[in-house]
């Protein structure tokens, strides 16, 4: 990921029945003005999505995928 002009990330972990809910809040502003906006559209945003998708898959491998309880379906 290109070096961001500003980057702030917060992770929230909340216990729920049968597991935990992990929520990420990511705020960033790419550097280099107009060029940064283009890079964000075509590269940076996609890389961030890939990073979080990878983490989701890894957490599911380690801890299992959350199953919605039958009474909540």
């Amino acid at each position: 990921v290109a070096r961001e002009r500003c980057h702030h990330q917060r992770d929230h972990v909340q216990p729920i029945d049968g597991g935990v809910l992990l929520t990420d809040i990511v705020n960033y502003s790419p550097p280099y003005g107009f060029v940064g906006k283009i890079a964000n559209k075509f590269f940076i945003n996609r890389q961030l999505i890939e990073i979080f998708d990878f983490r989701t898959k890894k957490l599911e491998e380690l801890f299992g995928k959350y199953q919605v309880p039958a009474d909540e379906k």
Side-chain angles (χ1 to χ4, degrees):
V1 174
R3 185 175 183 165
E4 295 90 7
R5 185 175 67 198
C6 175
H7 174 243
H8 183 254
Q9 176 180 348
R10 293 180 62 185
D11 296 322
H12 294 272
V13 180
Q14 175 184 355
I16 60 174
D17 289 338
V20 296
L21 176 64
L22 177 60
T23 304
D24 294 292
I25 300 171
V26 179
N27 295 305
Y28 69 97
S29 178
Y32 310 118
F34 178 72
V35 173
K37 288 180 182 182
I38 291 173
N40 181 61
K41 183 174 182 173
F42 293 104
F43 304 107
I44 300 170
N45 190 53
R46 184 177 64 217
Q47 288 178 333
L48 285 172
I49 291 169
E50 289 173 0
I51 289 167
F52 286 105
D53 285 349
F54 174 82
R55 187 178 75 171
T56 297
K57 289 176 187 171
K58 213 33 140 165
L59 288 171
E60 287 176 351
E61 285 176 18
L62 293 170
F63 302 107
K65 190 169 183 170
Y66 176 73
Q67 300 295 320
V68 177
D71 62 337
E72 291 183 21
K73 290 184 180 180

